[in-house]
Amino acid sequence: MAAIEFEDLKARVSSGEIDTVLACLVDMQGRLLGKRFHAQHFIDSGYKETHCCNYLLATDIEMNTVEGFKASSWSQGYGDYVMKPDLSTLRPLPWLEGTALVLCDVIDHNTHTDVDHSPRALLKKQVERARRLGFDPMMATELEFFLFKGRYEEIRQEGYRSLTPVSDYIEDYHILQTTKEEVVMRPLRNHLYAAGIPVECSKGEAAAGQEELNIRYAPALDCADFHAIAKHATKEIAWHAGYAASFLAKWRADEVGSASHIHQSLWRDGANAFWDADADYGMSQTMQHYLAGLIQYAPQFFYFLAPYINSYKRFVRNSFAPTTLTWSLDNRTAGFRICDANGANVRIECRLGGSDLNPHLALAAQLAAGLAGIEEKLELPAAIDGNHYADKRPALDKECAPNTLTEAIVNLREGRAARQAFGDAVIDHYVNAAMWEQEKYDSAVTDFELRLGFEQA
Ligand code: ADP
Protein backbone atom coordinates (compact mmCIF):
# COMPACT_ATOMS: atom_id res chain seq x y z
CA MET A 1 0.00 0.00 0.00
CA ALA A 2 1.62 3.26 -1.11
CA ALA A 3 0.88 6.34 0.88
CA ILE A 4 2.04 8.40 -2.09
CA GLU A 5 2.63 7.77 -5.79
CA PHE A 6 5.99 8.51 -7.39
CA GLU A 7 4.44 11.46 -9.30
CA ASP A 8 3.22 12.83 -6.00
CA LEU A 9 6.75 12.57 -4.58
CA LYS A 10 8.07 14.57 -7.54
CA ALA A 11 5.52 17.31 -6.85
CA ARG A 12 6.43 17.39 -3.16
CA VAL A 13 10.13 17.62 -4.01
CA SER A 14 9.45 20.51 -6.42
CA SER A 15 7.48 22.37 -3.78
CA GLY A 16 10.26 21.83 -1.23
CA GLU A 17 8.03 19.78 1.07
CA ILE A 18 10.33 16.76 0.77
CA ASP A 19 14.11 17.02 0.50
CA THR A 20 15.25 13.62 1.78
CA VAL A 21 14.30 10.07 0.78
CA LEU A 22 15.31 7.11 2.92
CA ALA A 23 15.89 3.96 0.85
CA CYS A 24 15.95 1.01 3.24
CA LEU A 25 16.09 -2.75 3.33
CA VAL A 26 14.78 -4.83 6.20
CA ASP A 27 17.71 -6.67 7.76
CA MET A 28 17.81 -10.06 9.52
CA GLN A 29 16.94 -8.38 12.81
CA GLY A 30 13.94 -6.58 11.28
CA ARG A 31 15.63 -3.18 11.30
CA LEU A 32 15.57 -0.54 8.58
CA LEU A 33 19.06 -0.12 7.12
CA GLY A 34 19.86 2.03 4.11
CA LYS A 35 20.75 5.47 2.87
CA ARG A 36 19.44 9.01 3.01
CA PHE A 37 19.05 10.32 -0.54
CA HIS A 38 18.86 13.92 -1.57
CA ALA A 39 15.29 13.84 -2.86
CA GLN A 40 16.24 15.36 -6.22
CA HIS A 41 18.83 12.67 -6.87
CA PHE A 42 16.30 10.03 -5.84
CA ILE A 43 13.67 11.16 -8.32
CA ASP A 44 16.26 11.70 -11.09
CA SER A 45 17.90 8.29 -10.86
CA GLY A 46 18.16 6.85 -7.35
CA TYR A 47 14.66 5.38 -7.58
CA LYS A 48 15.93 2.82 -10.11
CA GLU A 49 18.40 1.15 -7.81
CA THR A 50 21.12 1.69 -5.26
CA HIS A 51 23.67 -0.62 -3.63
CA CYS A 52 24.75 -1.87 -0.27
CA CYS A 53 27.48 -4.09 1.11
CA ASN A 54 26.21 -7.66 1.17
CA TYR A 55 27.30 -8.10 4.79
CA LEU A 56 24.07 -6.28 5.79
CA LEU A 57 22.26 -9.63 5.60
CA ALA A 58 25.03 -11.50 7.41
CA THR A 59 25.75 -9.62 10.63
CA ASP A 60 24.79 -10.13 14.24
CA ILE A 61 22.69 -7.59 16.10
CA GLU A 62 25.81 -5.52 16.88
CA MET A 63 26.73 -5.37 13.16
CA ASN A 64 29.75 -7.61 13.62
CA THR A 65 30.80 -9.73 10.68
CA VAL A 66 30.05 -13.35 11.48
CA GLU A 67 31.92 -16.38 10.17
CA GLY A 68 30.18 -19.31 8.54
CA PHE A 69 27.78 -17.60 6.13
CA LYS A 70 28.01 -19.05 2.62
CA ALA A 71 26.38 -16.01 0.99
CA SER A 72 28.88 -13.37 2.12
CA SER A 73 32.24 -13.59 3.81
CA TRP A 74 35.75 -12.14 4.01
CA SER A 75 36.95 -14.76 1.52
CA GLN A 76 34.36 -13.57 -1.03
CA GLY A 77 35.38 -9.97 -0.35
CA TYR A 78 32.00 -8.74 0.91
CA GLY A 79 30.69 -7.38 -2.40
CA ASP A 80 27.49 -5.50 -3.15
CA TYR A 81 23.81 -6.25 -3.36
CA VAL A 82 21.40 -4.17 -5.41
CA MET A 83 18.78 -2.38 -3.33
CA LYS A 84 15.78 -2.02 -5.62
CA PRO A 85 13.22 0.50 -4.33
CA ASP A 86 9.72 -0.96 -4.23
CA LEU A 87 7.85 2.21 -5.17
CA SER A 88 4.57 0.77 -3.89
CA THR A 89 6.00 1.33 -0.38
CA LEU A 90 6.75 5.03 -0.89
CA ARG A 91 5.44 7.18 1.95
CA PRO A 92 6.22 10.41 3.79
CA LEU A 93 7.60 10.07 7.32
CA PRO A 94 5.91 13.04 8.97
CA TRP A 95 7.89 12.68 12.21
CA LEU A 96 11.13 13.41 10.32
CA GLU A 97 11.12 16.84 8.71
CA GLY A 98 11.07 16.86 4.89
CA THR A 99 11.56 13.10 4.70
CA ALA A 100 10.01 10.22 2.73
CA LEU A 101 10.77 6.48 2.91
CA VAL A 102 10.87 3.69 0.38
CA LEU A 103 11.54 0.02 1.20
CA CYS A 104 13.88 -1.87 -1.09
CA ASP A 105 14.07 -5.43 -2.30
CA VAL A 106 17.53 -6.95 -2.13
CA ILE A 107 18.69 -8.26 -5.50
CA ASP A 108 21.67 -10.39 -6.47
CA HIS A 109 23.96 -8.62 -8.98
CA ASN A 110 24.59 -11.72 -11.01
CA THR A 111 21.22 -13.46 -11.11
CA HIS A 112 19.10 -10.27 -11.01
CA THR A 113 16.71 -12.10 -8.71
CA ASP A 114 15.78 -11.63 -5.06
CA VAL A 115 18.46 -12.65 -2.56
CA ASP A 116 16.85 -15.76 -1.10
CA HIS A 117 17.64 -15.07 2.56
CA SER A 118 16.40 -11.48 2.42
CA PRO A 119 13.43 -11.26 4.84
CA ARG A 120 11.19 -9.47 2.34
CA ALA A 121 11.97 -12.03 -0.36
CA LEU A 122 11.15 -14.90 1.98
CA LEU A 123 7.77 -13.45 2.81
CA LYS A 124 6.97 -12.62 -0.81
CA LYS A 125 7.70 -16.24 -1.74
CA GLN A 126 5.26 -17.60 0.85
CA VAL A 127 2.59 -15.10 -0.21
CA GLU A 128 3.00 -16.36 -3.79
CA ARG A 129 2.65 -19.92 -2.51
CA ALA A 130 -0.63 -18.94 -0.82
CA ARG A 131 -1.84 -17.27 -4.02
CA ARG A 132 -1.09 -20.43 -6.01
CA LEU A 133 -3.44 -22.22 -3.63
CA GLY A 134 -6.03 -19.50 -4.27
CA PHE A 135 -5.63 -17.54 -1.03
CA ASP A 136 -4.70 -13.99 -0.03
CA PRO A 137 -3.13 -14.03 3.44
CA MET A 138 -4.36 -11.22 5.68
CA MET A 139 -2.32 -10.52 8.79
CA ALA A 140 -1.96 -8.13 11.71
CA THR A 141 0.88 -7.98 14.23
CA GLU A 142 0.56 -6.41 17.66
CA LEU A 143 3.53 -4.35 18.81
CA GLU A 144 4.19 -4.43 22.56
CA PHE A 145 7.07 -2.50 24.06
CA PHE A 146 8.24 -0.76 27.21
CA LEU A 147 8.79 2.96 27.50
CA PHE A 148 11.58 4.12 29.81
CA LYS A 149 12.53 7.52 31.17
CA GLY A 150 15.64 8.93 29.51
CA ARG A 151 17.18 8.31 26.12
CA TYR A 152 19.08 5.22 24.96
CA GLU A 153 22.40 7.08 25.27
CA GLU A 154 21.88 7.98 28.95
CA ILE A 155 20.60 4.52 29.78
CA ARG A 156 23.57 2.90 28.07
CA GLN A 157 25.99 5.16 29.96
CA GLU A 158 24.45 3.98 33.19
CA GLY A 159 25.08 0.39 32.14
CA TYR A 160 21.33 -0.38 31.94
CA ARG A 161 21.33 -0.52 35.75
CA SER A 162 18.75 2.12 36.58
CA LEU A 163 16.02 1.44 34.07
CA THR A 164 12.93 3.42 35.02
CA PRO A 165 9.66 2.63 33.22
CA VAL A 166 7.48 5.67 32.50
CA SER A 167 4.79 4.31 34.80
CA ASP A 168 4.89 3.22 38.46
CA TYR A 169 1.98 0.81 38.18
CA ILE A 170 0.37 -1.75 35.86
CA GLU A 171 -1.30 0.24 33.13
CA ASP A 172 -3.33 -2.40 31.29
CA TYR A 173 -6.14 -0.50 29.52
CA HIS A 174 -5.49 2.46 31.88
CA ILE A 175 -6.50 5.82 30.47
CA LEU A 176 -5.07 8.03 33.23
CA GLN A 177 -1.56 6.57 33.03
CA THR A 178 -1.50 6.39 29.24
CA THR A 179 -2.55 10.06 29.11
CA LYS A 180 0.86 10.73 30.66
CA GLU A 181 2.44 8.81 27.78
CA GLU A 182 0.60 10.70 25.04
CA VAL A 183 3.71 12.79 24.45
CA VAL A 184 5.01 9.68 22.65
CA MET A 185 1.89 7.74 21.71
CA ARG A 186 -0.21 10.50 20.12
CA PRO A 187 2.44 11.53 17.58
CA LEU A 188 3.17 7.84 17.00
CA ARG A 189 -0.46 7.07 16.08
CA ASN A 190 -0.96 10.22 14.05
CA HIS A 191 2.34 10.23 12.18
CA LEU A 192 2.02 6.57 11.23
CA TYR A 193 -1.54 7.16 10.07
CA ALA A 194 -0.39 10.10 7.95
CA ALA A 195 2.31 7.83 6.52
CA GLY A 196 -0.40 5.47 5.22
CA ILE A 197 -0.11 2.94 8.04
CA PRO A 198 -3.64 2.19 9.26
CA VAL A 199 -3.22 2.48 13.02
CA GLU A 200 -6.25 1.20 14.92
CA CYS A 201 -5.33 2.15 18.48
CA SER A 202 -2.77 2.09 21.24
CA LYS A 203 -3.36 0.94 24.80
CA GLY A 204 -1.60 0.44 28.07
CA GLU A 205 -0.37 -3.14 28.49
CA ALA A 206 0.05 -5.66 31.27
CA ALA A 207 3.01 -4.09 33.11
CA ALA A 208 4.21 -0.71 34.33
CA GLY A 209 5.48 1.28 31.37
CA GLN A 210 4.25 -1.21 28.77
CA GLU A 211 2.34 0.00 25.71
CA GLU A 212 0.77 -1.77 22.74
CA LEU A 213 0.16 -0.50 19.23
CA ASN A 214 -2.44 -2.10 16.94
CA ILE A 215 -2.44 -1.72 13.19
CA ARG A 216 -5.35 -2.82 11.01
CA TYR A 217 -4.92 -6.17 9.29
CA ALA A 218 -3.65 -6.04 5.75
CA PRO A 219 -2.13 -8.25 3.04
CA ALA A 220 0.81 -10.09 4.64
CA LEU A 221 3.64 -8.15 2.98
CA ASP A 222 2.02 -4.81 3.87
CA CYS A 223 1.52 -6.04 7.42
CA ALA A 224 5.22 -6.89 7.83
CA ASP A 225 6.28 -3.61 6.19
CA PHE A 226 3.96 -1.69 8.53
CA HIS A 227 5.43 -3.50 11.52
CA ALA A 228 9.05 -2.77 10.59
CA ILE A 229 8.27 0.90 9.95
CA ALA A 230 6.09 1.26 13.07
CA LYS A 231 8.77 -0.28 15.30
CA HIS A 232 11.36 2.08 13.86
CA ALA A 233 8.97 5.02 14.31
CA THR A 234 8.32 4.08 17.93
CA LYS A 235 12.02 4.21 18.74
CA GLU A 236 12.56 7.47 16.84
CA ILE A 237 9.52 9.30 18.20
CA ALA A 238 10.28 8.20 21.76
CA TRP A 239 13.90 9.29 21.33
CA HIS A 240 12.82 12.72 20.07
CA ALA A 241 10.58 13.08 23.12
CA GLY A 242 13.39 12.09 25.53
CA TYR A 243 12.27 8.50 26.20
CA ALA A 244 13.57 5.07 25.27
CA ALA A 245 11.34 2.42 23.69
CA SER A 246 12.53 -1.18 24.14
CA PHE A 247 11.33 -4.20 22.18
CA LEU A 248 13.50 -6.59 24.16
CA ALA A 249 11.26 -9.62 24.78
CA LYS A 250 12.04 -9.69 28.52
CA TRP A 251 13.78 -6.80 30.25
CA ARG A 252 13.32 -7.94 33.84
CA ALA A 253 12.81 -11.38 35.37
CA ASP A 254 9.89 -10.36 37.59
CA GLU A 255 7.99 -8.41 34.91
CA VAL A 256 5.96 -9.83 32.03
CA GLY A 257 7.70 -9.74 28.68
CA SER A 258 6.64 -8.10 25.44
CA ALA A 259 4.96 -10.06 22.67
CA SER A 260 4.10 -9.63 19.06
CA HIS A 261 0.94 -11.64 18.55
CA ILE A 262 0.21 -12.48 14.93
CA HIS A 263 -3.41 -12.44 13.75
CA GLN A 264 -3.94 -14.35 10.55
CA SER A 265 -6.61 -15.40 8.10
CA LEU A 266 -6.68 -16.52 4.48
CA TRP A 267 -9.07 -14.83 2.10
CA ARG A 268 -10.52 -15.93 -1.23
CA ASP A 269 -12.38 -13.59 -3.59
CA GLY A 270 -12.51 -10.86 -0.94
CA ALA A 271 -14.06 -13.05 1.76
CA ASN A 272 -12.59 -14.79 4.80
CA ALA A 273 -11.90 -18.40 3.74
CA PHE A 274 -11.46 -19.34 7.42
CA TRP A 275 -15.21 -18.82 7.91
CA ASP A 276 -17.77 -21.53 7.40
CA ALA A 277 -21.09 -20.82 9.11
CA ASP A 278 -21.96 -24.52 9.20
CA ALA A 279 -18.69 -25.77 10.72
CA ASP A 280 -17.86 -26.15 14.42
CA TYR A 281 -16.93 -22.71 15.82
CA GLY A 282 -17.33 -21.35 12.26
CA MET A 283 -13.87 -22.77 11.44
CA SER A 284 -13.72 -23.90 7.81
CA GLN A 285 -11.82 -27.02 6.72
CA THR A 286 -9.18 -24.66 5.28
CA MET A 287 -8.75 -22.99 8.66
CA GLN A 288 -8.51 -26.33 10.44
CA HIS A 289 -5.78 -27.61 8.12
CA TYR A 290 -3.91 -24.30 8.36
CA LEU A 291 -4.04 -24.33 12.16
CA ALA A 292 -2.97 -27.98 12.21
CA GLY A 293 0.07 -26.97 10.12
CA LEU A 294 0.90 -24.08 12.46
CA ILE A 295 0.91 -26.49 15.38
CA GLN A 296 2.63 -29.44 13.74
CA TYR A 297 5.44 -27.38 12.27
CA ALA A 298 5.77 -24.81 15.07
CA PRO A 299 8.91 -26.45 16.54
CA GLN A 300 10.89 -26.20 13.31
CA PHE A 301 9.86 -22.61 12.60
CA PHE A 302 10.06 -21.49 16.22
CA TYR A 303 13.37 -19.68 15.80
CA PHE A 304 11.60 -17.09 13.65
CA LEU A 305 9.25 -16.29 16.55
CA ALA A 306 12.01 -16.24 19.17
CA PRO A 307 15.37 -15.47 17.59
CA TYR A 308 17.53 -14.51 20.59
CA ILE A 309 18.66 -16.00 23.89
CA ASN A 310 16.52 -13.41 25.66
CA SER A 311 13.40 -14.37 23.68
CA TYR A 312 13.10 -17.59 25.69
CA LYS A 313 13.08 -15.79 29.05
CA ARG A 314 9.56 -14.59 28.16
CA PHE A 315 7.95 -18.04 28.22
CA VAL A 316 6.88 -18.19 31.85
CA ARG A 317 3.84 -19.86 33.38
CA ASN A 318 0.89 -17.59 34.18
CA SER A 319 2.50 -14.65 32.43
CA PHE A 320 0.22 -14.35 29.36
CA ALA A 321 3.14 -15.68 27.30
CA PRO A 322 2.19 -19.23 26.29
CA THR A 323 4.41 -22.25 26.87
CA THR A 324 2.50 -24.78 24.77
CA LEU A 325 1.85 -25.47 21.10
CA THR A 326 -1.86 -25.91 21.71
CA TRP A 327 -5.01 -24.18 20.53
CA SER A 328 -8.18 -23.06 22.14
CA LEU A 329 -11.11 -20.74 21.58
CA ASP A 330 -10.81 -17.27 23.13
CA ASN A 331 -8.14 -18.33 25.65
CA ARG A 332 -4.99 -16.35 26.34
CA THR A 333 -3.10 -19.28 27.85
CA ALA A 334 -2.89 -21.17 24.53
CA GLY A 335 -0.13 -20.80 21.94
CA PHE A 336 -2.82 -20.34 19.30
CA ARG A 337 -6.00 -18.52 20.27
CA ILE A 338 -9.08 -18.44 18.06
CA CYS A 339 -10.62 -14.97 17.85
CA ASP A 340 -14.21 -14.31 16.81
CA ALA A 341 -15.14 -18.00 16.86
CA ASN A 342 -18.51 -18.54 15.15
CA GLY A 343 -18.19 -15.09 13.58
CA ALA A 344 -17.47 -14.11 9.98
CA ASN A 345 -14.11 -12.68 11.06
CA VAL A 346 -12.91 -15.91 12.68
CA ARG A 347 -9.10 -15.94 12.73
CA ILE A 348 -6.02 -17.35 14.45
CA GLU A 349 -3.90 -15.36 16.86
CA CYS A 350 -0.43 -16.87 17.33
CA ARG A 351 0.64 -15.70 20.80
CA LEU A 352 4.08 -17.29 20.81
CA GLY A 353 6.22 -14.64 19.13
CA GLY A 354 8.10 -12.00 21.11
CA SER A 355 8.33 -8.29 20.41
CA ASP A 356 11.90 -8.97 19.19
CA LEU A 357 10.80 -11.03 16.17
CA ASN A 358 11.52 -9.98 12.61
CA PRO A 359 8.02 -9.47 11.14
CA HIS A 360 8.90 -10.56 7.60
CA LEU A 361 10.57 -13.75 8.79
CA ALA A 362 7.88 -14.51 11.36
CA LEU A 363 5.02 -14.05 8.89
CA ALA A 364 6.86 -16.09 6.26
CA ALA A 365 7.35 -18.87 8.83
CA GLN A 366 3.71 -18.81 9.94
CA LEU A 367 2.52 -18.98 6.34
CA ALA A 368 4.96 -21.76 5.48
CA ALA A 369 3.72 -23.87 8.41
CA GLY A 370 0.03 -23.16 7.83
CA LEU A 371 0.13 -23.67 4.07
CA ALA A 372 1.95 -26.99 4.54
CA GLY A 373 -0.99 -27.96 6.76
CA ILE A 374 -3.40 -27.16 3.91
CA GLU A 375 -1.30 -28.90 1.26
CA GLU A 376 -0.95 -32.02 3.42
CA LYS A 377 -4.56 -31.84 4.68
CA LEU A 378 -3.31 -32.23 8.26
CA GLU A 379 -5.87 -33.13 10.87
CA LEU A 380 -6.38 -30.62 13.67
CA PRO A 381 -5.78 -31.95 17.20
CA ALA A 382 -8.56 -31.33 19.70
CA ALA A 383 -8.91 -27.92 21.30
CA ILE A 384 -7.92 -27.75 24.97
CA ASP A 385 -10.04 -25.88 27.48
CA GLY A 386 -8.94 -24.27 30.70
CA ASN A 387 -5.49 -23.25 31.82
CA HIS A 388 -2.86 -24.47 29.36
CA TYR A 389 -0.09 -23.72 31.85
CA ALA A 390 -1.54 -25.98 34.53
CA ASP A 391 0.02 -29.33 33.71
CA LYS A 392 2.26 -28.37 30.84
CA ARG A 393 5.66 -27.61 32.30
CA PRO A 394 8.51 -26.82 29.97
CA ALA A 395 9.73 -30.36 29.40
CA LEU A 396 10.18 -32.83 26.63
CA ASP A 397 6.43 -32.98 26.08
CA LYS A 398 5.54 -32.66 22.40
CA GLU A 399 2.98 -29.99 23.23
CA CYS A 400 5.58 -27.76 24.88
CA ALA A 401 7.09 -24.91 22.95
CA PRO A 402 10.88 -24.98 22.56
CA ASN A 403 12.33 -23.77 25.81
CA THR A 404 15.75 -22.58 24.71
CA LEU A 405 17.42 -21.20 21.63
CA THR A 406 19.48 -24.39 21.37
CA GLU A 407 16.32 -26.45 21.05
CA ALA A 408 14.96 -24.11 18.38
CA ILE A 409 18.25 -24.27 16.45
CA VAL A 410 18.22 -28.06 16.37
CA ASN A 411 14.57 -28.08 15.28
CA LEU A 412 15.29 -25.58 12.51
CA ARG A 413 18.36 -27.42 11.32
CA GLU A 414 16.60 -30.78 11.20
CA GLY A 415 13.20 -29.51 10.01
CA ARG A 416 11.99 -31.03 6.76
CA ALA A 417 9.09 -28.62 6.24
CA ALA A 418 11.27 -25.60 6.97
CA ARG A 419 13.91 -26.75 4.48
CA GLN A 420 11.26 -27.47 1.85
CA ALA A 421 9.64 -24.07 2.30
CA PHE A 422 12.71 -21.83 2.58
CA GLY A 423 15.39 -23.91 0.84
CA ASP A 424 18.53 -25.44 2.32
CA ALA A 425 20.74 -22.41 1.75
CA VAL A 426 18.33 -20.11 3.58
CA ILE A 427 17.89 -22.47 6.52
CA ASP A 428 21.67 -22.95 6.80
CA HIS A 429 22.07 -19.15 6.75
CA TYR A 430 19.70 -18.62 9.68
CA VAL A 431 21.04 -21.63 11.58
CA ASN A 432 24.47 -20.02 11.33
CA ALA A 433 23.09 -16.73 12.65
CA ALA A 434 21.36 -18.51 15.53
CA MET A 435 24.42 -20.59 16.42
CA TRP A 436 26.52 -17.43 16.60
CA GLU A 437 23.98 -15.85 18.99
CA GLN A 438 24.19 -18.99 21.14
CA GLU A 439 28.00 -19.09 20.97
CA LYS A 440 28.30 -15.44 22.05
CA TYR A 441 26.01 -16.09 24.99
CA ASP A 442 27.81 -19.28 25.99
CA SER A 443 31.09 -17.39 26.21
CA ALA A 444 29.64 -14.63 28.43
CA VAL A 445 30.01 -14.77 32.21
CA THR A 446 26.88 -13.16 33.61
CA ASP A 447 26.14 -11.35 36.88
CA PHE A 448 23.78 -14.25 37.68
CA GLU A 449 26.75 -16.64 37.82
CA LEU A 450 28.85 -14.23 39.89
CA ARG A 451 26.02 -13.73 42.37
CA LEU A 452 25.48 -17.44 42.84
CA GLY A 453 28.96 -18.77 42.72
CA PHE A 454 31.47 -16.07 43.60
CA GLU A 455 31.64 -17.16 47.22
CA GLN A 456 29.67 -20.39 47.37
CA ALA A 457 30.97 -22.36 44.41
P1 ADP B 1 -7.49 -8.77 20.84
O1 ADP B 1 -8.63 -9.67 21.14
O2 ADP B 1 -6.15 -9.48 20.88
O3 ADP B 1 -7.48 -7.48 21.62
P2 ADP B 1 -8.30 -7.17 18.53
O4 ADP B 1 -9.77 -7.30 18.38
O5 ADP B 1 -7.77 -5.89 19.12
O6 ADP B 1 -7.69 -8.45 19.29
O7 ADP B 1 -7.65 -7.38 17.10
C1 ADP B 1 -6.29 -7.54 17.00
C2 ADP B 1 -5.87 -7.42 15.56
O8 ADP B 1 -6.56 -8.37 14.75
C3 ADP B 1 -6.13 -6.07 14.92
O9 ADP B 1 -4.90 -5.56 14.45
C4 ADP B 1 -7.09 -6.37 13.77
O10 ADP B 1 -6.89 -5.53 12.64
C5 ADP B 1 -6.71 -7.81 13.46
N1 ADP B 1 -7.73 -8.52 12.68
C6 ADP B 1 -9.06 -8.35 12.68
N2 ADP B 1 -9.63 -9.18 11.78
C7 ADP B 1 -8.64 -9.91 11.20
C8 ADP B 1 -8.58 -10.92 10.23
N3 ADP B 1 -9.66 -11.41 9.63
N4 ADP B 1 -7.36 -11.42 9.89
C9 ADP B 1 -6.25 -10.99 10.49
N5 ADP B 1 -6.25 -10.05 11.42
C10 ADP B 1 -7.43 -9.49 11.78
Side-chain angles (χ1 to χ4, degrees), residues 297-304 405-420 422-435 438:
Y297 295 123
Q300 11 186 323
F301 285 109
F302 205 77
Y303 166 71
F304 297 109
L405 182 61
T406 317
E407 206 180 326
I409 294 172
V410 173
N411 293 343
L412 179 66
R413 198 183 58 201
E414 309 302 329
R416 180 187 55 83
R419 285 188 177 274
Q420 252 171 19
F422 286 3
D424 285 332
V426 171
I427 295 299
D428 292 343
H429 188 86
Y430 283 97
V431 165
N432 190 59
M435 283 172 60
Q438 182 70 49

Side-chain angles (χ1 to χ4, degrees), residues 45 56 134 165 184 188 217 243 282 420:
S45 64
L56 288 189
V184 174
L188 180 61
Y217 66 100
Y243 295 91
Q420 252 171 19

